[in-house]
Amino acid sequence: MLKIAITGNIASGKSQVEKFISEKYTVFDADNIAHQILGNVDRKKLGEKVFSDPAARKKLEEFIHPKVKDEILKIFEQNLNVVFISIPLLFETGFDALFDKIIFVQCDDDIRLQRLMRRNDFTEEQALKRMNAQLPQKEKMQKYLPPGNREIPSSHDWIRIPPEASWIHDERILLEAAQDL
């Protein structure tokens, strides 16, 4: 089984990459898993609390991350040929060790800020709190991305999947990539 993580900082364009990949493959989403675990929690109120109070965010993460990891491991038990899982906090949680390949979607911070403010109707302060809760993109790329993983730049107002991303749709290439591991 080839296990591929899709990651990138908030408002980087991950959803567009997921949409592209999901034309042929199932893409599991760690955020959706976390939301299912939390149930009918008011996410807006929860977000306001945890992005204003680092201790509350830490407490939430200590509760939710092990449960999300358990669900990811259950997905792996399905023994599919290829598994794509979108995980925004891939490196922050240490979940990167669970995957064979990583697709990292990155975007200029100013564009991310504008996207986040527009998409979520956030003030600049609210958007920056969420952006600053994640490791900087550059640090992730330098520290965590070994050669052979894919970086998909998202520098336009809305992401455009570059031609080199078409490798995702070629199962032969995916299987060859798996053999290189």
Side-chain angles (χ1 to χ4, degrees):
M1 170 191 307
L2 180 59
K3 297 175 278 192
I4 303 172
I6 304 166
T7 195
N9 284 27
I10 191 166
S12 62
K14 288 181 307 297
S15 296
Q16 294 300 312
V17 173
E18 290 172 35
K19 195 180 302 181
F20 176 77
I21 294 170
S22 68
E23 290 174 12
K24 185 159 182 181
Y25 298 96
T26 299
V27 178
F28 298 93
D29 187 315
D31 276 350
N32 288 342
I33 293 169
H35 297 156
Q36 289 171 356
I37 292 167
L38 291 173
N40 293 328
V41 170
D42 183 335
R43 290 176 37 208
K44 186 173 182 173
K45 284 184 181 176
L46 180 64
E48 289 172 9
K49 174 72 174 165
V50 300
F51 289 108
S52 297
D53 180 353
R57 186 172 66 243
K58 183 173 173 28
K59 188 174 181 178
L60 174 66
E61 290 172 347
E62 287 172 350
F63 168 78
I64 199 75
H65 290 166
K67 293 180 183 320
V68 170
K69 183 178 181 180
D70 289 344
E71 293 303 314
I72 290 170
L73 294 175
K74 286 179 189 174
I75 293 167
F76 292 162
E77 289 173 5
Q78 294 176 21
N79 206 21
L80 304 167
N81 249 356
V82 178
V83 173
F84 288 92
I85 301 181
S86 176
I87 308 179
L89 297 176
L90 179 72
F91 303 110
E92 291 87 343
T93 58
F95 292 178
D96 54 307
L98 301 174
F99 292 88
D100 303 312
K101 295 286 181 183
I102 296 168
I103 299 171
F104 185 82
V105 184
Q106 64 91 24
C107 180
D108 181 80
D109 288 339
D110 291 332
I111 294 172
R112 291 178 43 236
L113 177 62
Q114 295 306 313
R115 282 181 185 170
L116 193 53
M117 290 169 57
R118 183 176 55 240
R119 180 186 77 191
N120 294 55
D121 197 29
F122 284 155
T123 65
E124 184 173 343
E125 181 184 359
Q126 290 171 314
L128 286 170
K129 279 183 181 179
R130 282 155 178 82
M131 289 174 64
N132 293 333
Q134 294 180 309
L135 293 173
Q137 295 179 110
K138 194 169 225 144
E139 181 180 337
K140 289 179 182 181
M141 290 167 56
Q142 292 171 345
K143 190 173 180 181
Y144 295 104
L145 286 181
N149 288 297
R150 293 284 180 147
E151 171 197 346
I152 300 180
S154 168
S155 57
H156 303 284
D157 188 36
W158 293 105
I159 188 169
R160 292 186 185 136
I161 306 296
E164 62 268 20
S166 64
W167 68 276
I168 294 166
H169 281 286
D170 188 335
E171 256 181 75
R172 181 180 45 78
I173 292 173
L174 276 174
L175 294 175
E176 286 175 8
Q179 291 172 0
D180 291 340
L181 300 175

